[in-house]
Amino acid sequence: MSIAFYNTLTRTIDEFKPLNDGEVRMYCCGPTVYDYFHIGNARSFVMSDVIRRYFEFRGYRVRYVMNITDIDDKIIRRANEQGVPSSEIANTYAEAFLQDSTRFGIRPADLYPRATETIDDIISHIEGLIEKGAAYVVDGDVFFRVSSFPEYGKLSRKKVEDLEMGARVETDARKEHPVDFALWKSAKPGEPSWDSPWGKGRPGWHIECSVMSQKHLGETFDIHAGGNDLIFPHHENEIAQSEALTGHPFARYWIHFGFLNIDNEKMSKSLGNFFTAREIVEKYPAEVIRFYYLQTHYRSPLNFTQEGLEAARTGLQKLQGVYDALAEATKGDAGFDVHTFEQRFTAAMDDDFNTPAGFGVLFEMVREANAILHGPTGMDAPSRERLRDFLHRSCVQVFGVIREESAVEASDEIVDGLMQLLIDIRTEARKEKQWALSDHIRDGLKEIGIALEDTRDGTKWKITSE
RNA sequence: GGCGACGUACCCAAGUGGCUAAGGGGACGCUCUGCAAAAGCGUUAUUCAUCGGUUCGAAUCCGAUCGUCGCCUCCA
């Protein structure tokens, strides 16, 4: 059994065969740091994170690189609006990006290269392209000569002729051909710039990803991921720039994430339906948001709604609930077959990272497990151990949707003491059949976000609100 | 204009030629409970946008129609 997934380059589901046995070299297009990232970006970053973690679940070592684009037109524009240096904007939002990633439970990449730290490599890459006749200089700007790369369009399946006809933007008359694109942009007065053989300037958008990915992962690497919209022109151009220089394939597998819409509309600031990742993670636990994302296949569009998030919150409690219950259970003698479910789970995930189908298997498993666990016989210790281990590997390590510690375990001694006292008082009251008092305690606690459950093993409590 | 994706229950969402069309949410009924909660059980799609076609057999393949969405030079 091996992992297979949709490769944008071939438009088919291809079996994954890494360049080096047991190792995955993966690059995901990171943020341009001119603002906080939004919930659509977050979906891509979370999906990429989960794919990376799933490879690890399947025993691969993964080298995972994500760039930070810290010099770009949008950053410069933002800096000018606020009257601060562009490096300040870049640093502020790069920092925010790393913070928000952490809050979303996204595991850090092995490396976060930045464009401004890779200028020398970018310049030599461009020099190489000029030498090969794949690029040309016009008044301090350098353009990629698309006609020099016959395979141009192989990722996006676009024809150069069609592109010309559909051109929406005024083309720069200095370019030999309208589809040629900038590798190096000469600096306008007041813009940040670096010295180069063609004068002061800065790198174009596409070149940095080519250079950074190849610098850290090699000329040819396994997987390149990013949002759907990056297929053209960004990734198409990356391929052209890279392969024109090296003569070798660039990324072997391309993964693209579907878009997130709000009310079936593309999220945009002008429509007023724009949410930053930061504001959503204030309102919902990261686990809930991740689970919500993962309930839709990564290539499908996801329509983001408040109701959807609420449904995800409720659904997730079932997974967290069984995980916590397994930690607390102490006796039982019925066995439970985890292995079959794990096989089905793996089969689902191996098939194009089908997370919705994977959760389908997990929920079926949880239903059957709960029936035993909460039933008259209870579940024996080895089964509980195996089940908790599998849930840990799938839902904690791969998906990042359930918490290691229950809310009760995370609370402090004083709270524990108070809760124990309240529960003891209520238990006394219940023995005396003082239902009004015991209900008053339970209702009052519920209002402050603590739920009481009377089980046959006594009263349990848990924190329900964040 | 060019290229592409999609339309499955009240909502979300898997399934892409053949076993009863997964799973989550919601709703209703039941078991358990002092009442709840949690958990479980049951009900909620004779049918997959519509109409044709291919096939022994189609939600799945082909064609048309209707509808939704995305990309086409820097938006994940």
CSV table of all heavy atoms in Angstrom, one decimal, chain B residues 15-36:
chain,number,residue,atom,x,y,z
B,15,G,P,-14.5,11.0,-2.5
B,15,G,OP1,-13.0,10.7,-2.7
B,15,G,OP2,-15.1,12.1,-3.2
B,15,G,O5',-15.3,9.7,-2.9
B,15,G,C5',-15.0,8.4,-2.2
B,15,G,C4',-16.2,7.5,-2.4
B,15,G,O4',-17.3,8.1,-1.8
B,15,G,C3',-16.5,7.2,-3.9
B,15,G,O3',-15.8,6.1,-4.3
B,15,G,C2',-18.0,6.9,-3.8
B,15,G,O2',-18.2,5.5,-3.4
B,15,G,C1',-18.5,7.7,-2.6
B,15,G,N9,-19.2,9.0,-3.0
B,15,G,C8,-18.6,10.2,-3.1
B,15,G,N7,-19.5,11.1,-3.5
B,15,G,C5,-20.7,10.4,-3.7
B,15,G,C6,-21.9,10.8,-4.1
B,15,G,O6,-22.3,12.0,-4.4
B,15,G,N1,-22.9,9.8,-4.2
B,15,G,C2,-22.6,8.5,-3.9
B,15,G,N2,-23.5,7.6,-4.0
B,15,G,N3,-21.4,8.1,-3.5
B,15,G,C4,-20.5,9.1,-3.4
B,16,U,P,-15.1,6.1,-5.8
B,16,U,OP1,-14.5,4.8,-5.9
B,16,U,OP2,-14.4,7.4,-5.9
B,16,U,O5',-16.4,6.1,-6.7
B,16,U,C5',-16.6,5.2,-7.8
B,16,U,C4',-16.6,5.9,-9.1
B,16,U,O4',-17.2,7.2,-8.9
B,16,U,C3',-15.2,6.2,-9.7
B,16,U,O3',-15.0,5.5,-10.9
B,16,U,C2',-15.2,7.7,-10.0
B,16,U,O2',-15.0,8.0,-11.3
B,16,U,C1',-16.6,8.2,-9.6
B,16,U,N1,-16.6,9.4,-8.9
B,16,U,C2,-17.3,10.5,-9.5
B,16,U,O2,-17.9,10.4,-10.5
B,16,U,N3,-17.3,11.6,-8.7
B,16,U,C4,-16.7,11.9,-7.5
B,16,U,O4,-16.8,12.9,-7.0
B,16,U,C5,-16.0,10.7,-7.0
B,16,U,C6,-16.0,9.6,-7.7
B,17,G,P,-14.7,4.1,-11.0
B,17,G,OP1,-14.3,3.4,-9.8
B,17,G,OP2,-13.8,4.2,-12.2
B,17,G,O5',-16.0,3.5,-11.5
B,17,G,C5',-16.3,2.2,-11.3
B,17,G,C4',-17.8,2.1,-11.6
B,17,G,O4',-18.0,2.1,-13.0
B,17,G,C3',-18.3,0.7,-11.2
B,17,G,O3',-19.0,0.9,-9.9
B,17,G,C2',-19.3,0.2,-12.2
B,17,G,O2',-20.6,0.2,-11.8
B,17,G,C1',-19.2,1.4,-13.3
B,17,G,N9,-19.2,0.9,-14.6
B,17,G,C8,-18.2,0.7,-15.5
B,17,G,N7,-18.6,0.3,-16.7
B,17,G,C5,-20.0,0.4,-16.6
B,17,G,C6,-21.0,0.2,-17.6
B,17,G,O6,-20.8,-0.1,-18.8
B,17,G,N1,-22.3,0.3,-17.1
B,17,G,C2,-22.6,0.7,-15.8
B,17,G,N2,-23.8,0.9,-15.5
B,17,G,N3,-21.7,0.9,-14.9
B,17,G,C4,-20.4,0.8,-15.4
B,18,G,P,-18.8,-0.1,-8.7
B,18,G,OP1,-19.1,0.7,-7.6
B,18,G,OP2,-17.5,-0.8,-8.9
B,18,G,O5',-20.0,-1.1,-9.0
B,18,G,C5',-21.4,-0.6,-8.8
B,18,G,C4',-22.3,-1.8,-8.6
B,18,G,O4',-22.3,-2.6,-9.8
B,18,G,C3',-21.8,-2.7,-7.4
B,18,G,O3',-22.6,-2.5,-6.3
B,18,G,C2',-21.7,-4.1,-8.0
B,18,G,O2',-22.7,-4.9,-7.4
B,18,G,C1',-22.1,-3.9,-9.5
B,18,G,N9,-21.3,-4.5,-10.5
B,18,G,C8,-19.9,-4.6,-10.6
B,18,G,N7,-19.5,-5.1,-11.7
B,18,G,C5,-20.6,-5.4,-12.4
B,18,G,C6,-20.8,-6.0,-13.6
B,18,G,O6,-20.0,-6.4,-14.4
B,18,G,N1,-22.1,-6.2,-14.0
B,18,G,C2,-23.2,-5.8,-13.1
B,18,G,N2,-24.4,-6.0,-13.6
B,18,G,N3,-23.0,-5.2,-12.0
B,18,G,C4,-21.7,-5.1,-11.6
B,19,C,P,-23.6,-2.2,-5.5
B,19,C,OP1,-24.4,-3.4,-5.7
B,19,C,OP2,-24.1,-0.9,-5.7
B,19,C,O5',-23.0,-2.2,-4.0
B,19,C,C5',-23.9,-2.6,-2.9
B,19,C,C4',-24.1,-4.0,-2.9
B,19,C,O4',-22.8,-4.7,-3.0
B,19,C,C3',-24.8,-4.6,-1.6
B,19,C,O3',-26.1,-4.8,-1.9
B,19,C,C2',-24.1,-5.9,-1.3
B,19,C,O2',-24.7,-7.0,-1.9
B,19,C,C1',-22.7,-5.7,-2.0
B,19,C,N1,-21.6,-5.4,-1.1
B,19,C,C2,-20.8,-6.4,-0.6
B,19,C,O2,-21.1,-7.6,-0.8
B,19,C,N3,-19.8,-6.1,0.3
B,19,C,C4,-19.5,-4.9,0.5
B,19,C,N4,-18.5,-4.6,1.3
B,19,C,C5,-20.3,-3.8,0.0
B,19,C,C6,-21.3,-4.1,-0.8
B,20,U,P,-27.4,-4.6,-1.7
B,20,U,OP1,-27.9,-5.7,-0.8
B,20,U,OP2,-27.9,-4.5,-3.1
B,20,U,O5',-27.6,-3.2,-1.0
B,20,U,C5',-28.9,-2.6,-0.9
B,20,U,C4',-29.1,-1.9,0.4
B,20,U,O4',-28.6,-2.8,1.5
B,20,U,C3',-28.3,-0.6,0.6
B,20,U,O3',-29.0,0.5,0.1
B,20,U,C2',-28.0,-0.5,2.1
B,20,U,O2',-29.0,0.2,2.7
B,20,U,C1',-28.1,-2.0,2.5
B,20,U,N1,-26.8,-2.5,3.0
B,20,U,C2,-26.4,-2.4,4.3
B,20,U,O2,-27.1,-1.9,5.1
B,20,U,N3,-25.2,-3.0,4.7
B,20,U,C4,-24.3,-3.6,3.8
B,20,U,O4,-23.3,-4.0,4.3
B,20,U,C5,-24.7,-3.6,2.4
B,20,U,C6,-25.9,-3.1,2.1
B,21,A,P,-28.5,1.5,-0.9
B,21,A,OP1,-29.6,2.5,-1.0
B,21,A,OP2,-28.1,0.9,-2.2
B,21,A,O5',-27.3,2.1,-0.2
B,21,A,C5',-26.0,2.1,-0.8
B,21,A,C4',-25.3,3.4,-0.7
B,21,A,O4',-25.8,4.3,-1.7
B,21,A,C3',-25.7,4.2,0.6
B,21,A,O3',-24.8,3.6,1.7
B,21,A,C2',-25.3,5.6,0.2
B,21,A,O2',-23.9,5.8,0.4
B,21,A,C1',-25.7,5.6,-1.2
B,21,A,N9,-26.9,6.4,-1.5
B,21,A,C8,-28.2,5.9,-1.6
B,21,A,N7,-29.1,6.8,-1.9
B,21,A,C5,-28.3,7.9,-2.2
B,21,A,C6,-28.7,9.2,-2.6
B,21,A,N6,-30.0,9.6,-2.9
B,21,A,N1,-27.7,10.1,-2.7
B,21,A,C2,-26.5,9.7,-2.4
B,21,A,N3,-26.0,8.6,-2.0
B,21,A,C4,-27.0,7.7,-1.9
B,22,A,P,-25.0,4.2,3.2
B,22,A,OP1,-25.0,2.9,3.9
B,22,A,OP2,-26.2,5.1,3.3
B,22,A,O5',-23.7,5.0,3.4
B,22,A,C5',-23.4,5.5,4.7
B,22,A,C4',-22.0,5.3,5.0
B,22,A,O4',-21.2,5.9,3.9
B,22,A,C3',-21.5,6.0,6.2
B,22,A,O3',-21.8,5.2,7.4
B,22,A,C2',-20.0,6.1,5.9
B,22,A,O2',-19.4,4.9,6.0
B,22,A,C1',-20.1,6.5,4.4
B,22,A,N9,-20.2,7.9,4.2
B,22,A,C8,-21.3,8.7,3.8
B,22,A,N7,-21.0,10.0,3.7
B,22,A,C5,-19.8,10.1,4.2
B,22,A,C6,-18.9,11.2,4.3
B,22,A,N6,-19.3,12.5,4.0
B,22,A,N1,-17.7,11.0,4.8
B,22,A,C2,-17.3,9.8,5.1
B,22,A,N3,-18.0,8.6,5.0
B,22,A,C4,-19.2,8.9,4.5
B,23,G,P,-22.7,5.8,8.5
B,23,G,OP1,-22.7,4.8,9.6
B,23,G,OP2,-23.9,6.4,7.9
B,23,G,O5',-21.8,7.1,9.0
B,23,G,C5',-20.5,6.8,9.5
B,23,G,C4',-19.8,8.2,9.5
B,23,G,O4',-19.5,8.7,8.2
B,23,G,C3',-20.5,9.3,10.2
B,23,G,O3',-20.5,9.2,11.6
B,23,G,C2',-19.8,10.5,9.7
B,23,G,O2',-18.5,10.6,10.3
B,23,G,C1',-19.6,10.1,8.2
B,23,G,N9,-20.8,10.5,7.4
B,23,G,C8,-21.8,9.7,7.0
B,23,G,N7,-22.7,10.4,6.4
B,23,G,C5,-22.3,11.7,6.4
B,23,G,C6,-22.9,12.9,5.9
B,23,G,O6,-24.0,13.0,5.3
B,23,G,N1,-22.1,14.0,6.2
B,23,G,C2,-20.9,14.0,6.8
B,23,G,N2,-20.3,15.2,7.0
B,23,G,N3,-20.3,12.9,7.3
B,23,G,C4,-21.1,11.8,7.1
B,24,G,P,-21.7,9.8,12.5
B,24,G,OP1,-21.5,9.4,13.9
B,24,G,OP2,-22.9,9.6,11.8
B,24,G,O5',-21.3,11.4,12.4
B,24,G,C5',-20.1,11.9,13.0
B,24,G,C4',-20.1,13.4,12.7
B,24,G,O4',-20.0,13.6,11.3
B,24,G,C3',-21.3,14.2,13.2
B,24,G,O3',-21.2,14.4,14.6
B,24,G,C2',-21.1,15.4,12.3
B,24,G,O2',-20.1,16.2,12.8
B,24,G,C1',-20.7,14.8,11.0
B,24,G,N9,-21.9,14.5,10.2
B,24,G,C8,-22.4,13.3,10.0
B,24,G,N7,-23.5,13.3,9.2
B,24,G,C5,-23.8,14.6,9.0
B,24,G,C6,-24.8,15.3,8.3
B,24,G,O6,-25.8,14.8,7.7
B,24,G,N1,-24.6,16.7,8.3
B,24,G,C2,-23.6,17.4,8.9
B,24,G,N2,-23.6,18.7,8.8
B,24,G,N3,-22.6,16.8,9.6
B,24,G,C4,-22.8,15.4,9.6
B,25,G,P,-22.6,14.6,15.4
B,25,G,OP1,-22.2,14.8,16.8
B,25,G,OP2,-23.5,13.5,15.0
B,25,G,O5',-23.2,15.9,14.8
B,25,G,C5',-22.6,17.1,15.1
B,25,G,C4',-23.3,18.3,14.4
B,25,G,O4',-23.3,18.0,13.0
B,25,G,C3',-24.8,18.4,14.8
B,25,G,O3',-25.0,19.0,16.0
B,25,G,C2',-25.3,19.2,13.6
B,25,G,O2',-24.9,20.5,13.7
B,25,G,C1',-24.5,18.5,12.4
B,25,G,N9,-25.3,17.5,11.8
B,25,G,C8,-25.1,16.1,12.0
B,25,G,N7,-26.0,15.4,11.3
B,25,G,C5,-26.9,16.4,10.8
B,25,G,C6,-28.1,16.2,10.0
B,25,G,O6,-28.6,15.2,9.6
B,25,G,N1,-28.6,17.4,9.6
B,25,G,C2,-28.1,18.6,10.0
B,25,G,N2,-28.8,19.7,9.5
B,25,G,N3,-27.0,18.8,10.7
B,25,G,C4,-26.5,17.6,11.1
B,26,G,P,-26.2,18.6,16.9
B,26,G,OP1,-26.1,19.4,18.2
B,26,G,OP2,-26.1,17.1,17.0
B,26,G,O5',-27.5,19.0,16.1
B,26,G,C5',-27.7,20.4,15.8
B,26,G,C4',-28.9,20.5,14.9
B,26,G,O4',-28.7,19.8,13.6
B,26,G,C3',-30.2,19.8,15.4
B,26,G,O3',-30.8,20.6,16.3
B,26,G,C2',-31.0,19.7,14.1
B,26,G,O2',-31.5,20.9,13.7
B,26,G,C1',-29.9,19.3,13.1
B,26,G,N9,-29.7,17.8,13.0
B,26,G,C8,-28.7,17.1,13.6
B,26,G,N7,-28.8,15.8,13.4
B,26,G,C5,-30.0,15.7,12.6
B,26,G,C6,-30.6,14.6,12.0
B,26,G,O6,-30.3,13.4,12.0
B,26,G,N1,-31.7,14.9,11.3
B,26,G,C2,-32.2,16.2,11.1
B,26,G,N2,-33.3,16.3,10.4
B,26,G,N3,-31.6,17.3,11.7
B,26,G,C4,-30.5,16.9,12.4
B,27,A,P,-31.6,19.9,17.5
B,27,A,OP1,-32.1,21.0,18.4
B,27,A,OP2,-30.8,18.8,18.1
B,27,A,O5',-32.9,19.3,16.8
B,27,A,C5',-33.8,20.1,16.1
B,27,A,C4',-34.8,19.2,15.4
B,27,A,O4',-34.2,18.5,14.3
B,27,A,C3',-35.5,18.1,16.2
B,27,A,O3',-36.5,18.7,17.0
B,27,A,C2',-36.0,17.2,15.1
B,27,A,O2',-37.1,17.7,14.5
B,27,A,C1',-34.8,17.2,14.2
B,27,A,N9,-33.8,16.2,14.5
B,27,A,C8,-32.7,16.3,15.2
B,27,A,N7,-32.0,15.2,15.3
B,27,A,C5,-32.7,14.3,14.5
B,27,A,C6,-32.6,12.9,14.2
B,27,A,N6,-31.5,12.2,14.7
B,27,A,N1,-33.5,12.3,13.5
B,27,A,C2,-34.5,13.0,13.0
B,27,A,N3,-34.8,14.3,13.3
B,27,A,C4,-33.9,14.9,14.0
B,28,C,P,-36.7,18.1,18.5
B,28,C,OP1,-37.6,19.0,19.2
B,28,C,OP2,-35.4,17.7,19.1
B,28,C,O5',-37.5,16.7,18.3
B,28,C,C5',-38.7,16.7,17.6
B,28,C,C4',-39.1,15.3,17.2
B,28,C,O4',-38.1,14.9,16.2
B,28,C,C3',-39.0,14.2,18.3
B,28,C,O3',-40.1,14.2,19.1
B,28,C,C2',-38.9,13.0,17.4
B,28,C,O2',-40.2,12.7,16.8
B,28,C,C1',-38.0,13.5,16.3
B,28,C,N1,-36.6,13.1,16.6
B,28,C,C2,-36.1,11.9,16.3
B,28,C,O2,-36.8,11.1,15.7
B,28,C,N3,-34.8,11.5,16.6
B,28,C,C4,-34.0,12.4,17.2
B,28,C,N4,-32.8,12.0,17.5
B,28,C,C5,-34.5,13.7,17.5
B,28,C,C6,-35.7,14.0,17.2
B,29,G,P,-39.8,13.8,20.7
B,29,G,OP1,-41.1,14.1,21.4
B,29,G,OP2,-38.5,14.3,21.1
B,29,G,O5',-39.7,12.2,20.5
B,29,G,C5',-40.9,11.5,20.2
B,29,G,C4',-40.5,10.0,20.0
B,29,G,O4',-39.5,9.9,18.9
B,29,G,C3',-39.8,9.3,21.2
B,29,G,O3',-40.7,9.0,22.2
B,29,G,C2',-39.2,8.1,20.5
B,29,G,O2',-40.1,7.1,20.2
B,29,G,C1',-38.7,8.8,19.2
B,29,G,N9,-37.3,9.2,19.3
B,29,G,C8,-36.9,10.5,19.5
B,29,G,N7,-35.6,10.6,19.7
B,29,G,C5,-35.1,9.3,19.6
B,29,G,C6,-33.8,8.7,19.7
B,29,G,O6,-32.7,9.3,19.8
B,29,G,N1,-33.8,7.3,19.5
B,29,G,C2,-35.0,6.6,19.3
B,29,G,N2,-34.8,5.3,19.2
B,29,G,N3,-36.2,7.1,19.3
B,29,G,C4,-36.2,8.4,19.4
B,30,C,P,-40.2,9.0,23.7
B,30,C,OP1,-41.3,8.8,24.6
B,30,C,OP2,-39.3,10.1,23.9
B,30,C,O5',-39.2,7.7,23.8
B,30,C,C5',-39.8,6.4,23.6
B,30,C,C4',-38.7,5.4,23.4
B,30,C,O4',-37.8,5.8,22.4
B,30,C,C3',-37.8,5.2,24.6
B,30,C,O3',-38.4,4.4,25.6
B,30,C,C2',-36.6,4.5,24.0
B,30,C,O2',-36.9,3.1,23.7
B,30,C,C1',-36.5,5.3,22.7
B,30,C,N1,-35.5,6.4,22.8
B,30,C,C2,-34.2,6.1,22.7
B,30,C,O2,-33.8,4.9,22.6
B,30,C,N3,-33.2,7.1,22.8
B,30,C,C4,-33.7,8.3,22.9
B,30,C,N4,-32.7,9.3,23.0
B,30,C,C5,-35.0,8.7,22.9
B,30,C,C6,-35.9,7.7,22.9
B,31,U,P,-37.9,4.5,27.2
B,31,U,OP1,-38.8,3.7,28.0
B,31,U,OP2,-37.8,6.0,27.5
B,31,U,O5',-36.5,3.9,27.2
B,31,U,C5',-36.3,2.5,27.0
B,31,U,C4',-34.9,2.1,27.1
B,31,U,O4',-34.1,2.8,26.1
B,31,U,C3',-34.2,2.6,28.4
B,31,U,O3',-34.5,1.6,29.4
B,31,U,C2',-32.7,2.6,28.0
B,31,U,O2',-32.2,1.3,28.0
B,31,U,C1',-32.8,3.1,26.5
B,31,U,N1,-32.5,4.5,26.4
B,31,U,C2,-31.2,5.0,26.4
B,31,U,O2,-30.3,4.2,26.6
B,31,U,N3,-31.0,6.3,26.3
B,31,U,C4,-32.0,7.3,26.2
B,31,U,O4,-31.7,8.5,26.1
B,31,U,C5,-33.3,6.8,26.1
B,31,U,C6,-33.6,5.4,26.3
B,32,C,P,-34.7,2.2,30.9
B,32,C,OP1,-34.9,1.0,31.8
B,32,C,OP2,-35.7,3.3,30.9
B,32,C,O5',-33.2,2.8,31.3
B,32,C,C5',-32.1,1.9,31.5
B,32,C,C4',-30.9,2.8,31.7
B,32,C,O4',-30.7,3.6,30.5
B,32,C,C3',-31.0,3.9,32.8
B,32,C,O3',-30.7,3.3,34.0
B,32,C,C2',-29.9,4.9,32.3
B,32,C,O2',-28.6,4.4,32.6
B,32,C,C1',-30.1,4.8,30.8
B,32,C,N1,-31.0,5.9,30.3
B,32,C,C2,-30.5,7.2,30.1
B,32,C,O2,-29.3,7.4,30.3
B,32,C,N3,-31.3,8.2,29.7
B,32,C,C4,-32.6,7.9,29.4
B,32,C,N4,-33.4,8.9,29.0
B,32,C,C5,-33.2,6.6,29.6
B,32,C,C6,-32.3,5.7,30.1
B,33,U,P,-31.6,3.7,35.3
B,33,U,OP1,-31.0,2.9,36.5
B,33,U,OP2,-33.0,3.5,34.9
B,33,U,O5',-31.3,5.2,35.5
B,33,U,C5',-30.0,5.7,35.9
B,33,U,C4',-30.0,7.2,35.9
B,33,U,O4',-30.3,7.7,34.6
B,33,U,C3',-31.1,7.9,36.7
B,33,U,O3',-30.7,8.0,38.1
B,33,U,C2',-31.2,9.3,36.1
B,33,U,O2',-30.2,10.1,36.6
B,33,U,C1',-30.9,8.9,34.6
B,33,U,N1,-32.2,8.8,33.8
B,33,U,C2,-32.7,10.0,33.2
B,33,U,O2,-32.1,11.1,33.4
B,33,U,N3,-33.8,9.9,32.5
B,33,U,C4,-34.5,8.7,32.3
B,33,U,O4,-35.5,8.8,31.6
B,33,U,C5,-34.0,7.6,32.9
B,33,U,C6,-32.8,7.6,33.6
B,34,G,P,-31.7,7.6,39.3
B,34,G,OP1,-31.0,7.9,40.5
B,34,G,OP2,-32.2,6.3,39.0
B,34,G,O5',-32.8,8.7,39.1
B,34,G,C5',-34.1,8.4,39.6
B,34,G,C4',-34.9,9.7,39.8
B,34,G,O4',-34.2,10.5,40.8
B,34,G,C3',-34.9,10.6,38.5
B,34,G,O3',-36.0,10.2,37.7
B,34,G,C2',-35.2,12.0,39.2
B,34,G,O2',-36.6,12.2,39.5
B,34,G,C1',-34.4,11.9,40.5
B,34,G,N9,-33.1,12.5,40.4
B,34,G,C8,-31.8,11.9,40.5
B,34,G,N7,-30.8,12.7,40.5
B,34,G,C5,-31.4,13.9,40.3
B,34,G,C6,-30.8,15.2,40.2
B,34,G,O6,-29.6,15.5,40.2
B,34,G,N1,-31.8,16.2,40.0
B,34,G,C2,-33.1,16.0,40.0
B,34,G,N2,-33.9,17.1,39.8
B,34,G,N3,-33.7,14.8,40.1
B,34,G,C4,-32.8,13.8,40.3
B,35,C,P,-35.6,10.1,36.1
B,35,C,OP1,-36.9,9.6,35.5
B,35,C,OP2,-34.4,9.3,35.9
B,35,C,O5',-35.4,11.6,35.7
B,35,C,C5',-36.6,12.5,35.6
B,35,C,C4',-36.1,13.9,35.5
B,35,C,O4',-35.2,14.2,36.6
B,35,C,C3',-35.2,14.2,34.3
B,35,C,O3',-36.0,14.4,33.1
B,35,C,C2',-34.5,15.5,34.7
B,35,C,O2',-35.4,16.6,34.6
B,35,C,C1',-34.3,15.2,36.2
B,35,C,N1,-32.9,14.7,36.5
B,35,C,C2,-31.9,15.7,36.5
B,35,C,O2,-32.2,16.9,36.4
B,35,C,N3,-30.6,15.3,36.8
B,35,C,C4,-30.4,14.0,37.0
B,35,C,N4,-29.1,13.6,37.2
B,35,C,C5,-31.4,13.0,36.9
B,35,C,C6,-32.7,13.4,36.7
B,36,A,P,-35.4,14.2,31.7
B,36,A,OP1,-36.4,14.6,30.7
B,36,A,OP2,-34.8,12.8,31.7
B,36,A,O5',-34.2,15.3,31.7
B,36,A,C5',-33.0,15.0,31.1
B,36,A,C4',-32.0,16.1,31.5
B,36,A,O4',-31.7,15.9,32.9
B,36,A,C3',-30.7,16.1,30.8
B,36,A,O3',-30.8,16.8,29.5
B,36,A,C2',-29.8,16.8,31.8
B,36,A,O2',-30.0,18.2,31.8
B,36,A,C1',-30.3,16.2,33.1
B,36,A,N9,-29.6,14.9,33.5
B,36,A,C8,-30.2,13.7,33.5
B,36,A,N7,-29.3,12.8,33.9
B,36,A,C5,-28.1,13.5,34.1
B,36,A,C6,-26.8,13.1,34.5
B,36,A,N6,-26.5,11.8,34.8
B,36,A,N1,-25.9,14.0,34.6
B,36,A,C2,-26.2,15.3,34.3
B,36,A,N3,-27.4,15.8,33.9
B,36,A,C4,-28.3,14.8,33.8
